[in-house]
Amino acid sequence: MSAKSSIPQPMLEIRNLKASIDGKEILKGINLTVNAGEVHAIMGPNGSGKSTLAAVLAGREVFEVTGGEVTYCGQDLLSMAPEIRAREGIFLGFQYPVEIPGVSMVNFMRTAVNEKRKYLGQPEMGAADFLKLMRDRKALVDLDTSLANRSVNEGFSGGEKKRNEIFQMAMLEPKLAILDETDSGLDIDALKTVANGVNRLKNKENAVIVITHYQRLLDYIVPDFVHVLFDGRIVRSGDKRLAFELEEKGYDWIREAN
Amino acid sequence: MNVLLDKKILDSQLTDWYFTNRDQLMAASNSVFNSFRPEAMECFRKMGIPDKSNENYKYTDVREVFLTPFNRYIEPRKILFSVEDLFRCDIPELDTELVLLVNGWFYENRPRLEVLPNGIIIGSMAEAARQYPHILEAHYSRYADFRKDALVALNTGFAQDGTFIYIPKGVGQDRTIQVVNILLSPEDLFVQHRNLVVIEDNAMARVVVCDHSLSAHHFLTNSVTEIFVGQNARLDYTKLQNEHNSSNQLSSSFVHQEKDSHAIFNTITLHGGMIRNNVYTRLNGPGAENHTLGLFLADRNQHVDSYTYVDHAAPGCTSRQNFKGILDEKATGAFTGRILVRPDAQKTLAYQANNNILLTSEARMNTKPQLEIYADDVKCSHGATVGQLDENAMFYLQTRGIAKREARLLLMGAFGHEILKQVPVEPLRDRLNDLVDKRLKGELSRCNSCPLQCQETC
């Protein structure tokens, strides 16, 4: 047991991460470091491995990690079950949020919030406090009250589902949020609402990884770093100007360079 | 004592038992019961206990459960336990007219037959046959056809007692009628009760039936319930089956609906050994509407077989069937849903759904829709699924910090909720939700005590 280091450790450190599905290698050696307070954008063409990276970080079992390591707040992330990662503060915003008929949003969120509190050794949240928290966080993303009384994502429109993801993020207050194409399928107003929600939750203690296909979202969630993922590797990193360069030159520019 | 009986001689044993006790049976019963006995037993002798060669029993060999050498009686035995000590319904909000049957016989916790101020009559079948023979003559054995099913024939051959409920014209009841069927015996026992519910025109009945086993013996119940729902009358019937693993149940219910009547028949099977539920519905007058529902949870070596038969005998009727099952470990289940639309039953709406979840690779479910449609202007649909819990939903819940076990419970609860939400009595619905949750968590005791009090006693 070593004494707690005074040197600030990165929140997330990914070293040479390789992952495959059904024997096909998708991630071919990812390296990425994310510190508290940072916003990282990961861009790349379809099939480059963006969503796979998000899923592997969240613990999806269908992907087999074949190499490398991931350290999250000093712990070995890959050895943790998905629910432990979540309770430790990792949040995955789904590209395609799942509909769960029969499970009410209220019951779902109460279970999630209290499972995390139990894990952290905190008492369960009382009904009144919980409902107040729901109300506050719904307002943050303009989520219709009637939606919160329905089954999880059931019959929600595309935009409602995405707003619901950010609502859940607001409820769970993650340290590291990974937003997988949260902008896809959103009109400009919904995009602003969602981005606004993310910005208001942002502080010096937490970090966000925004995965997106288009530069558009980055007008509203301004990244500190932009990475370009291509064929399972990060082939270029830079600041937000890289996103503009990509938008201008298109992904062919990356393809030709690699 | 525990030598299993030979399947071949089962039928003749039961027939012999009838002839040996016939005189005593006849002397003890009213003529309404007696008038059907000889023909019913003749039908039983011809058909025999069904096995898998019978198309309607394709997935269940009923003979298996008759192999235990059960004790059978044609008069109630003195019970060596105090039922009051063992049974207490712990749903305080459930203010009911409580009827207890112990081993199929009316139990005198209330008058044998009582006429309530609004004219509702509740009590023992045997007593009703004595006091109100005209009601029984009009309805008894009119809906349960013993010529078509040997189990109904066997019940009719021996019928003596059970629950009797009569709701006169235009009367709506204020209290739910709760029938609790208790099995409690110092020895293995074969039980047959025969029940009748008559709801006259424009009347309404809300009935909850709970089946419990309170002692650790082998039980076999072969019950028949006939329900008449008059014109514009309404029935809400919920049956809760919660018996131990050595308690086998063959239950046949017959719902007969007249013009513009409305019926909900909901069977919730929490626990038991081998269970076969037959629910027959006849929509006999135009505009009748029927909802036949079921939810079962099975694990270990349990077997739950549901058979429904909806007979659209009049035009413009609606029937909706929705059955669900969750099977764990080595449990097996079956659903057969038959819909008959007769030539004159135009404008029929008939729907059927059967969805099942298998939690292990060893659990098995057979599902078979049977539609016979002889009218041309009808809407009928059926659908069946057998599958696992949705992996995407599981992962989604996990990424929110909900552990696999809890996520499974949420998804299973959601699956069953669709049936439970149709239970009309709110305190009972809440209690059932709770019991189903406990059952799914494995917290519901498997001992012999009544589930409605088992948290304290086990």
Side-chain angles (χ1 to χ4, degrees):
Chain A
M1 291 301 237
S2 61
K4 219 174 184 175
S5 168
S6 59
I7 306 162
Q9 60 182 9
M11 178 178 282
L12 183 75
E13 196 163 20
I14 304 174
R15 281 184 299 270
N16 199 26
L17 179 65
K18 293 178 182 174
S20 56
I21 185 165
D22 298 332
K24 186 172 184 276
E25 191 166 61
I26 309 286
L27 302 183
K28 300 175 178 173
I30 302 270
N31 290 289
L32 178 67
T33 301
V34 177
N35 294 301
E38 294 176 351
V39 176
H40 289 245
I42 295 178
M43 303 182 72
N46 288 330
S48 58
K50 301 188 300 289
S51 288
T52 301
L53 177 61
V56 168
L57 292 177
R60 182 109 219 200
E61 280 166 9
V62 290
F63 295 102
E64 191 194 351
V65 175
T66 52
E69 51 192 63
V70 181
T71 310
Y72 168 72
C73 297
Q75 293 173 278
D76 173 16
L77 183 73
L78 298 177
S79 66
M80 295 181 202
E83 62 270 23
I84 301 299
R85 299 179 196 203
R87 294 173 199 168
E88 287 283 354
I90 287 185
F91 179 87
L92 173 63
F94 280 60
Q95 183 179 3
Y96 303 108
V98 183
E99 297 195 8
I100 312 182
V103 175
S104 72
M105 274 304 297
V106 175
N107 194 14
F108 168 49
M109 274 294 103
R110 187 165 35 222
T111 308
V113 166
N114 282 330
E115 289 267 303
K116 180 173 179 176
R117 292 177 68 90
K118 233 185 317 183
Y119 178 79
L120 297 174
Q122 298 164 349
E124 288 199 4
M125 194 177 262
D129 287 345
F130 176 77
L131 290 175
K132 185 177 177 301
L133 182 70
M134 286 263 299
R135 256 198 317 277
D136 290 354
R137 300 300 147 96
K138 267 186 301 198
L140 198 70
V141 286
D142 272 345
L143 191 70
D144 201 314
T145 298
S146 69
L147 294 184
N149 294 330
R150 298 229 302 259
S151 291
V152 179
N153 291 322
E154 193 184 26
F156 287 28
S157 71
E160 285 166 346
K161 282 180 183 170
K162 295 300 174 73
R163 262 185 290 183
N164 191 18
E165 293 295 287
I166 306 304
F167 162 69
Q168 293 171 42
M169 175 181 159
M171 289 295 290
L172 296 168
E173 299 180 324
K175 277 190 229 164
L176 175 64
I178 304 160
L179 306 178
D180 187 8
E181 304 218 13
T182 297
D183 52 333
S184 67
L186 291 185
D187 62 30
I188 196 73
D189 291 332
L191 186 71
K192 280 183 191 168
T193 310
V194 163
N196 186 36
V198 174
N199 289 331
R200 284 171 64 183
L201 293 167
K202 189 73 208 62
N203 60 40
K204 278 188 288 188
E205 308 298 317
N206 60 22
V208 183
I209 298 175
V210 183
I211 293 172
T212 181
H213 198 78
Y214 303 104
Q215 181 271 336
R216 179 176 83 137
L217 176 66
L218 305 180
D219 288 342
Y220 303 100
I221 302 175
V222 181
D224 301 299
F225 301 94
V226 174
H227 310 276
V228 179
L229 191 61
F230 182 76
D231 193 23
R233 287 186 190 89
I234 288 177
V235 293
R236 205 161 289 206
S237 293
D239 60 17
K240 64 182 174 187
R241 282 173 301 184
L242 180 56
F244 290 109
E245 205 177 345
L246 263 182
E247 184 79 359
E248 205 176 298
K249 298 183 180 171
Y251 285 114
D252 282 343
W253 166 57
I254 298 294
R255 266 187 210 107
E256 282 153 22
N258 288 276
Chain B
M1 181 67 190
N2 281 322
V3 179
L4 292 185
L5 301 171
D6 186 337
K7 283 190 190 181
K8 287 178 204 138
I9 61 161
L10 277 175
D11 300 335
S12 54
Q13 275 211 339
L14 288 160
T15 315
D16 289 349
W17 178 45
Y18 170 74
F19 283 114
T20 313
N21 293 287
R22 185 176 49 184
D23 294 344
Q24 208 186 329
L25 264 174
M26 296 281 198
S29 304
N30 184 277
S31 62
V32 189
F33 294 119
N34 292 341
S35 60
F36 291 98
R37 292 191 205 284
E39 196 192 343
M41 284 314 291
E42 180 56 20
C43 288
F44 174 76
R45 194 187 60 76
K46 281 185 191 153
M47 289 184 280
I49 298 167
D51 59 21
K52 290 183 179 178
S53 66
N54 180 327
E55 186 62 24
N56 292 346
Y57 287 85
K58 193 176 172 185
Y59 304 111
T60 304
D61 184 357
V62 177
R63 290 180 164 258
E64 296 276 342
V65 295
F66 276 89
L67 292 179
T68 305
F70 289 106
N71 294 284
R72 305 170 293 221
Y73 298 100
I74 57 159
E75 57 187 7
R77 307 283 289 175
K78 197 159 180 63
I79 298 302
L80 305 171
F81 310 90
S82 158
V83 173
E84 285 81 359
D85 286 351
L86 281 171
F87 178 79
R88 171 176 56 82
C89 187
D90 81 337
I91 317 180
E93 306 81 19
L94 197 59
D95 178 25
T96 61
E97 286 292 342
L98 181 66
V99 179
L100 291 177
L101 290 191
V102 177
N103 302 331
W105 303 93
F106 182 85
Y107 186 81
E108 299 195 10
N109 67 312
R110 61 184 293 143
R112 285 190 68 75
L113 200 65
E114 192 175 359
V115 184
L116 303 178
N118 50 11
I120 292 177
I121 308 170
I122 302 175
S124 140
M125 265 298 262
E127 192 60 31
R130 253 169 240 129
Q131 292 188 30
Y132 300 96
H134 62 283
I135 299 179
L136 268 83
E137 274 156 17
H139 298 285
Y140 178 78
S141 210
R142 299 289 169 203
Y143 318 117
D145 189 348
F146 57 74
R147 289 162 202 91
K148 292 198 177 129
D149 189 313
L151 298 176
V152 177
L154 185 65
N155 180 287
T156 308
F158 287 93
Q160 285 183 280
D161 205 2
T163 308
F164 175 81
I165 297 168
Y166 177 81
I167 319 283
K169 275 185 185 163
V171 171
Q173 76 196 84
D174 19 313
R175 296 169 89 191
T176 298
I177 298 169
Q178 185 184 20
V179 179
V180 181
N181 291 314
I182 287 173
L183 296 171
L184 176 61
S185 158
E187 57 189 7
D188 296 347
L189 197 64
F190 176 52
V191 166
Q192 302 197 84
H193 47 91
R194 178 69 177 231
N195 312 289
L196 178 64
V197 179
V198 176
I199 309 168
E200 296 284 18
D201 297 351
N202 303 308
M204 188 259 185
R206 187 170 270 181
V207 183
V208 176
V209 178
C210 308
D211 297 332
H212 304 311
S213 48
L214 296 185
S215 63
H217 292 86
H218 289 88
F219 292 106
L220 174 59
T221 301
N222 176 40
S223 68
V224 172
T225 302
E226 293 178 281
I227 304 174
F228 171 84
V229 189
Q231 283 193 21
N232 199 35
R234 192 182 164 100
L235 168 76
D236 286 332
Y237 191 96
T238 307
K239 185 173 169 66
L240 170 66
Q241 296 176 311
N242 195 0
E243 298 182 352
H244 62 62
N245 280 74
S246 306
S247 195
N248 301 315
Q249 208 185 114
L250 310 165
S251 158
S252 301
S253 304
F254 296 81
V255 180
H256 179 98
Q257 291 185 239
E258 291 296 351
K259 184 170 176 270
D260 294 329
S261 62
H262 185 283
I264 301 176
F265 193 100
N266 198 344
T267 307
I268 311 291
T269 307
L270 287 178
H271 213 271
M274 197 289 280
I275 292 175
R276 163 76 179 207
N277 291 319
N278 298 322
V279 184
Y280 295 84
T281 305
R282 184 180 165 102
L283 299 168
N284 201 52
E289 181 175 338
N290 175 275
H291 299 252
T292 299
L293 310 159
L295 170 67
F296 76 84
L297 313 174
D299 58 9
R300 299 211 264 184
N301 293 310
Q302 274 181 265
H303 178 74
V304 181
D305 182 352
S306 307
Y307 177 89
T308 64
Y309 189 159
V310 179
D311 179 354
H312 281 263
C317 294
T318 302
S319 67
R320 290 176 191 274
Q321 298 177 57
N322 193 352
F323 278 76
K324 289 190 164 193
I326 300 176
L327 297 96
D328 200 356
E329 296 171 337
K330 292 179 180 171
T332 52
F335 173 78
T336 307
R338 197 160 167 202
I339 298 173
L340 170 64
V341 181
R342 293 181 188 261
D344 294 338
Q346 300 294 358
K347 306 283 180 197
T348 285
L349 299 176
Y351 305 101
Q352 182 187 94
N354 175 232
N355 299 295
N356 305 282
I357 290 179
L358 302 181
L359 297 175
T360 67
S361 55
E362 289 169 302
R364 278 170 178 279
M365 181 73 200
N366 285 299
T367 173
K368 186 174 72 168
Q370 286 181 297
L371 275 63
E372 275 179 72
I373 301 169
Y374 300 105
D376 50 17
D377 184 13
V378 302
K379 273 189 195 161
C380 293
S381 73
H382 66 90
T385 61
V386 179
Q388 285 82 40
L389 289 176
D390 179 356
E391 281 300 318
N392 287 325
M394 283 290 294
F395 181 64
Y396 191 74
L397 294 170
Q398 283 181 277
T399 63
R400 301 305 183 246
I402 300 170
K404 228 175 192 167
R405 191 184 122 88
E406 198 67 29
R408 273 166 64 121
L409 290 172
L410 270 176
L411 295 180
M412 288 191 286
F415 180 78
H417 180 72
E418 197 193 339
I419 303 296
L420 292 177
K421 74 180 180 194
Q422 303 196 49
V423 172
V425 190
E426 200 183 331
L428 181 73
R429 185 170 60 235
D430 294 346
R431 188 70 176 129
L432 282 173
N433 270 314
D434 194 39
L435 282 171
V436 167
D437 277 353
K438 282 206 165 70
R439 171 76 169 99
L440 291 172
K441 283 180 192 162
E443 288 171 8
L444 189 64
S445 78
R446 294 171 179 184
C447 77
N448 307 307
S449 288
C450 164
L452 301 177
Q453 59 168 0
C454 63
Q455 296 94 303
E456 291 87 40
T457 53
C458 300

